[in-house]
Amino acid sequence: MNASFTGPADSESVSIAIVTAVASHRDVSPTELPPLYEWIDPDAVDALFEPTRASGLRRGRLEFPYDGHEIVLECDDSLVITVDGVSTVVDSCPTAAESADV
């Protein structure tokens, strides 16, 4: 099991980062995993952590199962994705500037 995970590129969404983290945890390609939408709405996850126009960065925590794994997302100053108790810090949570580019 590979516990290391390098964060997503700036243009990747939180939902893509989740799949990438689980693939890294399993030491498989992300394409070998089932679609995230079978467990949770990826668009809703991305929207949940998307910054607001008025107050900027959103902060929060979300827990859910995905393909036999317990996933925890925490966004404060950085995005932390935990897969089965192994935490990975992704460079940062999306900023208002990043979401404006999408």
Side-chain angles (χ1 to χ4, degrees):
M1 174 179 353
N2 182 359
S4 65
F5 165 67
T6 55
D10 289 340
S11 62
E12 285 187 349
S13 65
V14 174
S15 58
I16 296 296
I18 294 165
V19 174
T20 304
V22 172
S24 178
H25 182 78
R26 283 189 175 177
D27 200 21
V28 299
S29 168
T31 59
E32 294 180 51
L33 298 175
L36 183 62
Y37 65 77
E38 291 181 3
W39 281 266
I40 195 166
D41 182 342
D43 293 331
V45 171
D46 293 339
L48 181 64
F49 291 100
E50 185 175 280
T52 65
R53 290 181 193 214
S55 61
L57 184 66
R58 285 195 184 174
R59 302 177 191 287
R61 178 182 171 99
L62 177 66
E63 298 180 36
F64 62 96
Y66 171 52
D67 196 34
H69 298 281
E70 288 301 316
I71 309 299
V72 178
L73 302 176
E74 293 180 280
C75 189
D76 196 355
D77 291 330
S78 60
L79 176 63
V80 177
I81 300 174
T82 303
V83 180
D84 296 333
V86 178
S87 296
T88 302
V89 176
V90 177
D91 293 333
S92 63
C93 292
T95 64
E98 289 171 351
S99 65
D101 292 339
V102 177

